[in-house]
């Protein structure tokens, strides 16, 4: 089966190549005990990404003891007197990525526009702690981690932005907003960037297998077998534009290999838990974005009903 990560990274074609920092050593938290026995300590993954000017890296401690990486960038200039405060933006990545994929272009762009920006690395991704389980987490645990960060570190209701499987996590967050604001703080809005739909990727995968079988085999090798990590051509075809310089693709390929220490989900359990629950129309505003030249995701004419709350043109 084709691996479910079926979307390109947000545009990076004009990036300036940054000097690579030496990998940070893995850092261990104190050993945990469980029912009288000691389990292996949480390790923090290493992912060598050099921050841009104005950015900072810190770690948010979760109630379970894990740390998640946060790359933050404040507004480039303070709001003028009488100017409305812009909401914070919280970014959630997809598979094989981490906070760095937003730090390249998205954080600097929105910082210049006056938005406080926070890009998170989910468990076992980027420089976040690695749990002892076989996968990084579940839809519920990832959503809870984001809610904990927003509740404790973001002063105002943010706009929550998710790419690919990060978009599915954002949809799960939306579904938790009804009567659960103590655990899931309210949002100023949400953005889904080339997101996995609320029903999961099964329909999309089967449609792709039936319409583009040769390409589907390539994607299976690239993602399910992780061949993207050692093949420049597969990595470029799966994630990036044909025009992107090979040297830049190699840099991102290296970051992607370092970013993901564990799969984000157990896909069988995830698919069994879907679709994400629908919510009333007035829960939050949702902007849905797609890419016209996406290698995998097909454009369907018409409308798709997302979360039973917003009808919008969608690439699925």
């Amino acid at each position: 089966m084709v691996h479910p990560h079926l979307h390109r990274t947000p545009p990076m074609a004009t990036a300036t190549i940054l000097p690579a920092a030496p990998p940070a050593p893995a850092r261990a938290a104190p050993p945990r005990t469980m029912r009288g026995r000691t389990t292996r300590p949480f390790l923090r993954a290493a992912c060598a990404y050099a921050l841009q000017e104005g950015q900072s890296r810190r770690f948010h401690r979760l109630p379970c003891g894990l740390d998640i990486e946060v790359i933050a960038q404040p507004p480039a200039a303070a709001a003028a007197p009488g100017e409305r405060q812009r909401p914070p933006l919280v970014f959630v990545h997809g598979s094989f990525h981490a906070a760095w994929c937003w730090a390249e272009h998205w954080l600097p762009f929105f910082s210049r526009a006056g938005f406080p920006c926070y890009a998170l690395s989910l468990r076992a991704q980027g420089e976040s702690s690695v749990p002892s389980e076989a996968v990084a987490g579940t839809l519920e645990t990832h959503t809870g981690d984001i809610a904990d960060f927003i509740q404790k570190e973001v002063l105002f209701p943010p706009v929550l932005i998710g790419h690919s499987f990060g978009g599915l996590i954002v949809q799960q967050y939306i579904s938790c907003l009804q009567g659960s604001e103590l655990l899931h703080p309210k949002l100023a809005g949400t953005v889904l960037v080339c997101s996995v739909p609320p029903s999961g990727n099964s329909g999309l995968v089967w449609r792709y297998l039936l319409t583009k079988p040769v390409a589907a085999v390539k994607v299976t090798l690239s993602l399910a077998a992780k061949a993207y990590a050692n093949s420049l051509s597969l990595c470029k075809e799966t994630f990036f534009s044909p025009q992107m310089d090979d040297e830049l693709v190699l840099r991102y390929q290296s970051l992607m290999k370092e970013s993901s220490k564990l799969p984000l989900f157990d896909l069988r359990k995830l698919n069994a838990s879907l679709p994400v629950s629908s919510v009333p129309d007035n829960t939050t505003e949702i902007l849905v974005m797609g890419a016209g030249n996406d290698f995998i995701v097909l454009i369907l004419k018409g409308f798709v009903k997302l979360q039973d709350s917003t009808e919008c043109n969608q690439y699925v």
Side-chain angles (χ1 to χ4, degrees):
M1 180 176 290
V2 178
H3 192 283
H5 181 68
L6 298 177
H7 310 294
R8 297 183 190 279
T9 302
M12 296 181 176
T14 60
T16 301
I17 297 177
L18 301 176
R27 285 153 285 190
R32 297 175 294 157
T33 58
M34 185 179 296
R35 294 183 181 178
R37 60 187 178 89
T38 301
T39 63
R40 72 176 177 84
F42 297 131
L43 296 179
R44 186 172 294 160
C47 180
Y49 175 77
L51 299 181
Q52 300 192 46
E53 184 177 358
Q55 295 178 351
S56 62
R57 176 183 284 112
R58 60 179 185 265
F59 296 92
H60 174 72
R61 177 61 56 90
L62 299 169
C64 65
L66 292 169
D67 293 333
I68 57 171
E69 178 189 21
V70 181
I71 297 179
Q73 188 162 3
E83 184 179 359
R84 184 179 178 183
Q85 181 84 20
R86 293 185 181 273
L89 307 180
V90 176
F91 297 87
V92 185
H93 64 83
S95 297
F96 307 119
H97 291 71
W100 60 262
C101 74
W102 302 105
E104 288 280 272
H105 297 289
W106 294 68
L107 266 59
F109 176 87
F110 285 105
S111 170
R112 290 192 297 269
F115 293 89
C117 297
Y118 306 92
L120 309 183
S121 291
L122 299 170
R123 300 183 184 197
Q125 318 300 309
E127 294 199 17
S128 294
S129 300
V130 182
S132 57
E133 291 77 16
V135 296
T138 66
L139 201 55
E140 292 74 21
T141 57
H142 290 312
T143 302
D145 293 349
I146 294 166
D148 187 74
F149 169 76
I150 292 173
Q151 186 176 58
K152 296 175 181 176
E153 300 203 33
V154 182
L155 295 178
F156 304 101
V159 175
L160 189 57
I161 302 166
H163 169 241
S164 186
F165 265 108
L168 187 65
I169 294 169
V170 171
Q171 293 170 62
Q172 175 70 16
Y173 192 108
I174 295 170
S175 74
C176 294
L177 287 174
Q178 294 297 305
S180 165
E181 286 192 5
L182 288 178
L183 296 177
H184 297 81
K186 67 179 181 179
L187 303 172
T190 55
V191 183
L192 306 179
V193 183
C194 296
S195 176
V196 172
S199 57
N201 69 325
S202 298
L204 185 152
V205 169
W206 281 109
R207 183 163 60 248
Y208 192 60
L209 284 168
L210 293 173
T211 58
K212 299 181 179 180
V214 175
V217 171
K218 286 185 179 181
V219 174
T220 301
L221 291 173
S222 181
L223 297 177
K226 295 188 177 180
Y228 81 87
N230 300 305
S231 169
L232 174 64
S233 60
L234 277 177
C235 185
K236 189 170 187 175
E237 190 171 8
T238 306
F239 292 102
F240 303 106
S241 302
Q243 299 80 12
M244 183 175 282
D245 183 80
D246 285 352
E247 187 176 1
L248 187 56
V249 175
L250 285 169
R251 176 172 176 264
Y252 291 134
Q253 182 187 46
S254 176
L255 284 168
M256 290 163 65
K257 284 193 290 186
E258 294 174 352
S259 291
S260 184
K261 299 299 186 288
L262 293 174
L264 283 179
F265 305 101
D266 179 319
L267 294 178
R268 291 185 180 180
K269 292 181 179 178
L270 173 67
N271 289 329
S273 71
L274 298 174
V276 175
S277 300
S278 61
V279 295
D281 288 350
N282 62 351
T283 301
T284 188
E285 292 192 46
I286 306 172
L287 172 64
V288 182
M289 302 173 63
N293 293 325
D294 199 297
F295 172 55
I296 298 170
V297 180
L298 305 176
I299 299 175
L300 295 183
K301 295 181 179 179
F303 293 90
V304 170
K305 194 150 188 176
L306 182 66
Q307 295 278 18
D308 286 338
S309 62
T310 302
E311 286 189 351
C312 49
N313 284 314
Q314 162 72 307
Y315 300 99
V316 295

